[in-house]
């Protein structure tokens, strides 16, 4: 036993990358060797060993032996793909193994039936020894026809394991293919499903629904299956949830299925836990700090070692030794939580040797999410112990999400949007998405929840915020008319009352991905409107999610912070940036890739979590699901043109200048004469000619349009002047 232990210690410990490299080399080597061995049966090239291998493969597979080298080469190519994106390795699972095994067994058995292989001397003519084992067992008990049915059924089940189709989806696809033969490609199983990158990678954003249908053959298959099947809502698990989520409002809409998202198969590896506990205790002891080690909690990203200091030990003395502890533990980053809220313990968080990915499906498929008893639940991710963290936006009630480039901010926003699309129909939830970076949220264009196409223009974004203020005022008047305190009370009243034409009012979620761009362009307009909305819109169901990668005081101002107490901080460059977001340090020590801190008015200290991860192809699946439904329902949509248009009603917002009353009439007259003389008008032209800022120049252009002097926007070209020059 001791000898075995010594041998085990000497064996190399390979990480996932080394294992994949070994698999790539082995796959290609075996592919070439098996091909040469099968072709060269005499061993002239591969020698006696190669000849034996070739004979063994032919003995096992018969005429199918020639497919083995190509299968091994295909495996090597897949492993190469995995090494470029290690996250895909999580799907190397038993589903694919059993699917391929059952299909091989089925095909080899059927070949033996077709070639009448009834003895061991002729197995090479059919499906080899693997297929022959079915001959006496199945044919002896079920006969020729029964044996054929059994083997075909085994192969069909293997096909379903590989393709991950359900039987109803398969039947629906066949029916649709009979009506439209061009869609027969939808029957081809997606062998790459277990490594998942949707067969053909999609890089461009579709401009229309028709273009979206042409992107991949798999998208076609999913679209046709969605038309005829009747999926059961994954969210409604009880009558209580049905009432609270208001799914009874419009039964024509169906919610997405969970199998559109990937599951997680990775497992975190904390490293030498006992060794780390001993190192922490000894290091602190060397500095005269006696501690008692307590529980160890392993999460997806970090492992928290808890300890109880001896009586009289100051927490500041432990805090000052963070760098020494990090050196002893060889940790790339370390965070100290002293004390842990609700416990008389200190927590030391150390990165795991192998991190586990938190998939969105793993969180939203739980009862904690599906039976969440508050509106607009959003999964933050999982805490350091691996427990799901879910918060209601209505209790937040607005959210600031900040972090450096690549920290996981946009991925979290995507997971939030997808989770809302899994729970709410367009009749219950409306969205306004502002993507100032132009690359993150364009995927969501054409979904029926949107009040406007995804906004990428600053002027339209400001108009949308102004519209939200007017909509907030309108909703307050409705609540006041019926004597209701908030939107939830009013909707419950609307569902139970017999008053004609009284319908529930949907929630509105406004997402701004890069608040910094808006604040730079028009801070004097954007800040007062955001402050007004964050102060008052909660009661009428309008909620803001503000994202920025520039956490400085020019973007995240004191007024905005005062009205948005709930904040998420991902990795930032410095402690100063962390203090801007959280009013304290800590975010600068995060690990990136979704490692974040969440704080709200109800939390004593920021809570560390690993955010949910959702890939682009998963988002496309959910978005396509809603697009197809909207198209099948006669292109039903929530789009309102007035959302992005300049408001015709005067806004009453403290700190916001009225566009007409507070502008100099003299300046306006000069600009009016200028544009008539030039016969062209644009904001940049006015900025250059009169030395004014963008907000004032844009207001002047709007005033000229209202007075009928210039026409509407014309893309990037200057506006047309409608009044001819009198000179």
């Amino acid at each position: 036993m001791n000898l075995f232990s010594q041998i085990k210690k000497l064996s190399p410990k390979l990480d996932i990358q080394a294992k994949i490299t070994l698999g790539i080399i082995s796959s290609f080597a075996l592919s070439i060797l098996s091909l040469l061995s099968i072709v060269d049966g005499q061993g002239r090239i591969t020698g006696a060993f190669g000849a034996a291998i070739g004979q063994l493969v032919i003995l096992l597979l018969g005429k199918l032996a020639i497919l083995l080298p190509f299968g091994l080469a295909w495996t090597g190519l897949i492993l190469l793909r995995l090494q470029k994106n290690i996250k895909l390795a999580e799907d190397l699972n038993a589903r694919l193994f059993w699917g391929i095994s059952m299909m091989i067994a089925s095909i080899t058995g059927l070949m033996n039936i077709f070639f009448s292989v009834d003895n061991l001397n002729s197995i090479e003519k059919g499906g080899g020894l693997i297929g022959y084992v079915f001959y006496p067992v199945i044919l002896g008990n079920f006969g020729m026809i029964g044996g054929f049915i059994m083997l075909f059924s085994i192969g069909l089940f293997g096909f379903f394991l590989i393709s991950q189709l359900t039987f109803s989806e398969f039947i629906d696809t066949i029916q649709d293919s009979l009506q439209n033969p061009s869609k027969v490609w939808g029957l081809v199983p997606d062998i790459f499903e277990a490594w998942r990158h949707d067969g053909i990678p999609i890089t461009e954003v579709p401009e229309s629904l028709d273009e979206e249908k042409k992107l991949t053959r798999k998208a076609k298959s999913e679209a046709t299956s969605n038309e005829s099947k009747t999926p059961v809502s994954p969210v409604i698990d009880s009558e209580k949830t049905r009432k609270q989520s208001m799914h009874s409002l419009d039964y024509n809409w169906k919610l997405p299925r969970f199998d559109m998202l990937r599951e997680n198969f990775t497992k975190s590896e904390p490293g030498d836990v006992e060794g780390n506990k001993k190192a922490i205790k000894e290091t602190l002891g060397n500095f005269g700090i006696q501690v008692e080690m307590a529980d160890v909690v392993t999460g997806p990203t970090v492992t928290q070692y808890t300890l109880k200091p001896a009586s009289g030990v100051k927490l500041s003395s432990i805090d000052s030794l963070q760098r020494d502890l990090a050196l002893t533990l060889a940790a790339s980053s370390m965070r100290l939580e002293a004390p842990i809220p609700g416990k008389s313990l200190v927590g030391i968080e150390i990165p795991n040797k192998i991190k586990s990915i938190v998939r969105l499906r793993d969180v939203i498929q739980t009862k904690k999410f599906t039976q969440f008893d508050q509106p607009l639940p959003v999964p933050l991710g999982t805490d350091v112990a691996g427990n799901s963290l879910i918060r209601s936006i209505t209790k937040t009630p607005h959210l600031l999400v900040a972090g450096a480039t690549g920290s996981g901010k946009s991925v979290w926003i995507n997971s939030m949007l997808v989770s809302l699309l899994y729970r709410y129909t367009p009749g219950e939830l409306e969205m306004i998405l502002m993507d100032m970076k132009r690359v993150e949220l364009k995927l969501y264009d054409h979904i029926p929840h949107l009040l406007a196409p995804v906004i990428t223009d600053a002027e339209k974004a400001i108009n949308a915020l102004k519209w939200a203020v007017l909509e907030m005022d309108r909703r307050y008047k409705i609540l006041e008319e019926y004597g209701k305190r908030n939107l939830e009370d009013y909707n419950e009243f609307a569902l139970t009352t017999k008053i004609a034409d009284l319908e529930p009012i949907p929630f509105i979620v406004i997402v701004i991905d890069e608040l910094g761009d808006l604040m730079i362009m028009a801070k004097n307009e954007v800040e007062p409107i955001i402050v007004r909305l964050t102060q008052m819109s909660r009661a009428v169901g309008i909620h803001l999610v503000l994202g920025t990668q520039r956490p400085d005081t020019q973007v995240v101002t004191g007024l905005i912070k005062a009205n948005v107490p709930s904040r998420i901080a991902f990795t930032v460059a410095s402690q100063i940036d962390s203090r801007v977001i959280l009013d304290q340090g800590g975010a600068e020590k995060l690990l990136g890739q979704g490692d974040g801190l969440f704080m709200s008015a109800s939390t004593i200290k920021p809570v560390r979590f690993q955010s949910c991860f959702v890939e682009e192809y998963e988002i496309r699946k959910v978005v396509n699901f809603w697009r197809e439904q909207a198209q099948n329902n006669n292109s039903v949509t929530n789009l309102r043109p007035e959302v992005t248009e300049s408001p015709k009603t005067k806004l009453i917002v403290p700190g916001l200048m009225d566009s007409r009353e507070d502008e100099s009439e003299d300046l306006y007259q000069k600009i009016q004469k200028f544009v008539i003389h030039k016969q062209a008008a644009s904001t940049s032209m006015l900025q250059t000619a009169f030395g004014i800022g963008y907000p004032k120049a844009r207001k002047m252009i709007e005033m000229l349009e209202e007075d009928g002097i210039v026409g509407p926007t014309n893309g990037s070209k200057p506006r047309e002047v409608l009044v001819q020059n009198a000179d």
Side-chain angles (χ1 to χ4, degrees):
M1 189 67 179
N2 291 334
L3 179 62
F4 177 77
S5 301
Q6 293 296 326
I7 295 174
K8 187 176 180 180
K9 288 182 179 180
L10 293 174
S11 61
K13 295 183 179 180
L14 302 179
D15 58 14
I16 185 66
Q17 285 284 10
K19 291 178 181 178
I20 293 178
T21 299
L22 180 61
I24 293 171
I25 297 172
S26 302
S27 297
F28 285 116
L30 290 173
S31 173
I32 297 172
L33 179 62
S34 59
L35 179 62
L36 293 175
S37 300
I38 293 171
V39 174
D40 178 30
Q42 304 300 320
R44 290 188 297 270
I45 301 175
T46 57
F49 178 75
I53 292 295
Q55 292 174 5
L56 177 63
V57 172
I58 294 173
L59 177 66
L60 292 174
L61 298 177
K63 292 182 178 298
L64 293 178
I66 195 62
L67 298 180
L68 179 63
F70 299 101
L72 290 169
W74 173 78
T75 302
L77 292 174
I78 291 298
L79 291 174
L80 275 173
R81 213 168 140 198
L82 286 175
Q83 201 161 45
K84 292 180 180 178
N85 189 351
I86 196 66
K87 295 175 183 175
L88 300 179
E90 65 190 57
D91 275 339
L92 285 174
N93 51 50
R95 186 185 187 106
L96 183 71
F97 170 79
W98 285 108
I100 292 177
S101 299
M102 295 177 76
M103 291 193 70
I104 290 176
S106 171
I107 295 172
T108 54
L110 290 172
M111 287 190 68
N112 277 359
I113 293 178
F114 291 146
F115 287 95
S116 301
V117 178
D118 55 358
N119 59 74
L120 291 174
N121 296 326
S122 58
I123 57 175
E124 294 181 3
K125 298 178 181 179
L129 186 61
I130 294 177
Y132 180 77
V133 297
F134 290 95
Y135 195 90
V137 177
I138 294 182
L139 268 68
N141 293 285
F142 297 95
M144 183 69 70
I145 297 177
F148 176 84
I149 294 173
M150 289 291 295
L151 290 172
F152 181 79
S153 300
I154 292 172
L156 186 63
F157 186 68
F159 165 84
F160 284 124
L161 284 177
I162 295 174
S163 65
Q164 299 194 12
L165 287 171
T166 65
F167 193 80
S168 61
E169 290 173 340
F170 180 70
I171 297 298
D172 291 336
T173 307
I174 290 179
Q175 292 175 349
D176 193 74
S177 298
L178 292 175
Q179 297 174 1
N180 187 357
S182 65
K183 294 185 178 181
V184 72
W185 288 110
L187 297 175
V188 178
D190 189 356
I191 302 298
F192 291 89
E193 178 70 29
W195 291 285
R196 200 57 255 173
H197 244 260
D198 249 16
I200 303 173
I202 304 172
T203 57
E204 69 276 17
V205 177
E207 295 296 330
S208 64
L209 289 175
D210 292 335
E211 184 181 348
E212 181 70 21
K213 292 179 182 178
K214 297 177 183 178
L215 287 177
T216 60
R217 294 188 306 223
K218 189 158 184 65
K220 290 182 180 181
S221 175
E222 292 169 357
T224 55
S225 63
N226 285 338
E227 292 177 2
S228 55
K229 65 176 178 291
T230 307
V232 178
S233 166
V235 171
I236 307 172
D237 289 345
S238 65
E239 189 61 28
K240 177 182 178 183
T241 306
R242 176 186 293 270
K243 181 178 179 182
Q244 289 163 343
S245 298
M246 299 186 298
H247 289 300
S248 58
L249 294 182
D250 45 353
Y251 289 111
N252 292 330
W253 296 103
K254 298 176 178 62
L255 297 172
R257 307 181 316 275
F258 284 128
D259 58 12
M260 292 182 181
L261 303 177
R262 289 173 67 187
E263 293 181 277
N264 178 38
F265 297 99
T266 61
K267 187 177 180 181
S268 58
E269 174 55 52
D272 186 3
V273 174
E274 294 300 323
N276 288 341
K277 288 174 66 176
K278 183 179 179 181
I280 292 172
K281 187 172 183 178
E282 289 181 352
T283 301
L284 294 176
N286 293 336
F287 289 92
I289 301 174
Q290 301 301 317
V291 297
E292 185 87 22
M293 298 303 297
D295 296 333
V296 177
V297 180
T298 301
T301 305
V302 298
T303 297
Q304 186 183 66
Y305 296 82
T306 60
L307 54 94
K308 185 178 179 61
S311 178
V313 173
K314 293 182 178 180
L315 293 181
S316 59
S317 61
I318 301 178
D319 187 57
S320 63
L321 296 175
Q322 287 193 55
R323 295 175 62 186
D324 299 280
L325 287 169
L327 177 63
T328 302
L329 298 169
S332 58
S333 176
M334 194 188 76
R335 178 175 176 265
L336 189 70
E337 190 172 19
I340 299 174
K343 299 180 181 179
S344 58
L345 298 172
V346 173
I348 297 176
E349 295 167 359
I350 303 173
N352 290 331
K353 296 296 183 183
I354 299 177
K355 301 175 185 177
S356 174
I357 299 174
V358 178
R359 290 280 176 185
L360 179 61
R361 177 175 176 177
D362 299 329
V363 179
I364 67 173
Q365 198 172 7
T366 61
K367 288 185 178 180
K368 187 174 182 179
F369 179 82
T370 58
Q371 297 181 1
F372 202 78
D373 59 356
Q374 296 172 1
L376 299 182
V378 169
L380 297 179
T382 59
D383 61 14
V384 293
N387 301 316
S388 298
L389 289 177
I390 299 173
R391 294 291 185 273
S392 169
I393 295 182
T394 60
K395 301 299 180 183
T396 310
H398 311 284
L399 196 58
L400 173 66
V401 186
T405 302
S407 60
K409 170 180 61 67
S410 296
V411 174
W412 185 88
I413 290 176
N414 278 313
S415 69
M416 176 202 69
L417 292 174
V418 172
S419 68
L420 291 175
L421 292 177
Y422 259 87
R423 180 143 180 145
Y424 290 99
T425 67
E428 303 161 354
L429 175 65
E430 297 174 338
M431 295 181 180
I432 298 177
L433 305 182
M434 303 179 191
D435 185 8
M436 310 316 297
K437 294 189 289 187
R438 300 173 181 264
V439 294
E440 297 295 344
L441 304 181
K442 288 295 288 182
L443 287 170
Y444 299 93
D445 255 336
H446 307 297
I447 62 173
H449 299 73
L450 294 182
L451 287 168
V454 176
I455 301 170
T456 58
D457 179 72
E459 184 175 352
K460 291 183 178 180
I462 296 170
N463 289 339
L465 290 173
K466 291 180 178 179
W467 176 89
V469 174
L470 296 174
E471 174 66 12
M472 178 183 71
D473 293 338
R474 185 188 72 85
R475 292 186 173 198
Y476 267 114
K477 291 177 182 177
I478 296 175
L479 265 60
E480 183 180 3
E481 180 181 353
Y482 292 98
K484 299 304 173 185
R485 185 170 175 267
N486 53 45
L487 187 71
E488 295 176 52
D489 292 344
Y490 171 81
N491 284 338
E492 185 175 353
F493 171 72
L495 287 171
T496 56
T497 188
K498 296 182 180 179
I499 299 177
D501 300 328
L502 190 63
E503 295 182 354
I505 300 176
F507 291 100
I508 295 179
V509 173
I510 302 174
V511 179
I512 304 177
D513 193 3
E514 201 38 68
L515 176 64
D517 289 352
L518 275 182
M519 294 290 284
I520 289 174
M521 292 180 182
K523 179 180 178 181
N524 293 334
E525 284 187 282
V526 174
E527 184 180 20
I529 295 174
I530 288 179
V531 170
R532 183 69 168 176
L533 287 171
T534 53
Q535 284 175 339
M536 298 186 60
S537 64
R538 170 185 182 178
V540 292
I542 301 176
H543 304 277
L544 275 70
V545 177
L546 310 174
T548 182
Q549 62 186 22
R550 301 178 55 184
D552 58 59
T553 54
Q554 297 299 315
V555 176
V556 186
T557 64
L559 280 174
I560 292 177
K561 287 174 63 177
N563 292 283
V564 186
S566 297
R567 303 165 206 158
I568 292 177
F570 293 103
T571 309
V572 294
S574 66
Q575 189 179 86
I576 296 175
D577 292 341
S578 178
R579 290 186 180 279
V580 171
I581 308 168
L582 303 173
D583 297 322
Q584 59 182 282
E588 75 281 359
K589 297 179 180 179
L590 297 175
L591 304 175
Q593 296 182 329
D595 187 20
L597 293 171
F598 170 76
M599 69 169 293
S600 66
S602 61
T603 57
I604 302 174
K605 287 187 176 182
V607 178
R608 190 171 189 175
F609 69 96
Q610 177 64 37
S611 67
C612 299
F613 180 68
V614 60
E615 293 186 81
E616 181 180 325
Y617 91 91
E618 297 174 277
I619 300 172
R620 288 187 180 275
K621 277 188 173 183
V622 178
V623 167
N624 287 343
F625 176 84
W626 284 112
R627 287 175 180 168
E628 292 292 334
Q629 270 198 98
Q631 190 179 43
N632 296 337
N633 291 340
N634 299 318
S635 298
V636 174
T637 179
N638 285 335
L639 291 178
R640 302 187 199 176
E642 65 270 19
V643 172
T644 54
E645 294 176 354
S646 181
K648 303 298 188 289
T649 307
K650 177 182 176 181
L651 265 71
I652 303 176
V653 176
L656 180 66
M657 293 188 302
D658 182 75
S659 60
R660 289 304 297 260
E661 295 176 358
D662 294 335
E663 291 296 339
S664 170
E665 186 65 25
D666 182 53
L667 177 61
Y668 177 66
Q669 292 298 332
K670 290 180 181 179
I671 290 176
Q672 184 177 350
K673 292 178 182 179
F674 175 79
V675 297
I676 293 174
H677 175 70
K678 292 290 187 181
Q679 287 295 297
S682 68
T683 53
S684 59
M685 182 187 298
L686 298 186
Q687 285 179 268
T688 304
F690 294 92
I692 58 178
Y694 173 82
K696 182 173 288 188
R698 188 181 59 79
K699 289 176 185 177
M700 289 296 180
I701 289 288
E702 290 177 355
M703 292 165 63
L704 292 170
E705 184 179 0
E706 291 174 10
D707 290 342
I709 297 173
V710 300
T713 56
N714 188 23
S716 60
K717 298 179 181 179
R719 298 192 185 213
E720 180 186 0
V721 179
L722 305 178
V723 179
Q724 297 299 318
N725 190 353
D727 296 340

